[in-house]
Amino acid sequence: MPIAKIIIDFDDTLFDTVSLKEALLALFARFGVSTEKFWETYKISYTQNDLASYNLWRHIDVVCQQFPNLDKKLMLASAKEILLNGKKYLLDGAEDFLRGLRGLGVPLILLSLGDAEWQKEKVDSVGVAVFFNEIIFTGRKKIDVTQSLIKDAIGDIIFINDKIAETQEIAALADQIKPMVRVKKGVGASDYEKSGLLFFSNFSEILTRVKSYV
């Protein structure tokens, strides 16, 4: 069966979210915010959609409310500087991978869970929007969005993600969904092996597998 669509996750699949958080920790520390206080205010700064999701600008607001002597203007400028250099947080090989998928002539959909404003800024910062036919930022569970994306689709749906449980849940929606998981740092090999999912440690392996469905 031909490929109808390719759906790709963003955080930890294409984007190095861990390294960005480390950069934000360092940024806040420069303004005297401890690691403990960073994580405490991190949770407070979540938006409340169907699922709680992070927003950096709200985080800075929260911290500046708790520490009124902070130079908010300078902190915002420093945070924006991180995003201006956002390309460094695109995972190695991701751009060539997306270019290769684009060359297949199949609709590419970026499905990103989180605060829409913050997710869009991250996507824009790494310059990958040009590869996608559709970009969806959602505060709902991905399974709910995927149900509408696969409706009436004729052909295989390739779903590329980093989270094992979430991928299993989505794969169970329909036989036409072909799930692939990108191995994430900190997750043991046995977790992937027990999952029953196809898992890959680099983008070239995923691209080769996707091409096998064409």
Side-chain angles (χ1 to χ4, degrees), residues 28 31-34 36-38 40-41 59-72 75:
F28 279 59
F31 287 84
V33 181
S34 68
E36 181 182 6
K37 204 67 180 175
F38 174 90
E40 179 187 313
T41 52
H59 192 177
I60 291 174
D61 284 342
V62 170
V63 166
C64 288
Q65 285 167 13
Q66 293 195 14
F67 299 90
N69 292 328
L70 283 183
D71 187 336
K72 183 177 181 180
M75 197 173 196

Side-chain angles (χ1 to χ4, degrees), residues 124-171:
D124 289 345
S125 76
V126 296
V128 298
V130 295
F131 294 106
F132 292 95
N133 298 85
E134 185 176 1
I135 297 176
I136 301 170
F137 302 115
T138 181
R140 296 158 51 204
K141 287 187 176 181
K142 283 186 193 168
I143 191 169
D144 298 333
V145 180
T146 307
Q147 283 178 320
S148 64
L149 290 174
I150 68 173
K151 186 179 179 183
D152 301 325
I154 299 172
D156 290 327
I157 307 290
I158 307 295
F159 181 74
I160 303 168
N161 195 25
D162 69 290
K163 295 179 182 66
I164 292 173
E166 182 179 68
T167 304
Q168 289 172 322
E169 184 180 38
I170 288 170

Side-chain angles (χ1 to χ4, degrees), residues 164-192:
I164 292 173
E166 182 179 68
T167 304
Q168 289 172 322
E169 184 180 38
I170 288 170
L173 284 173
D175 290 339
Q176 72 187 124
I177 297 177
K178 309 302 178 187
M180 301 180 193
V181 177
R182 185 188 176 282
V183 172
K184 181 179 175 181
K185 278 186 212 173
V187 180
S190 62
D191 292 329
Y192 292 105

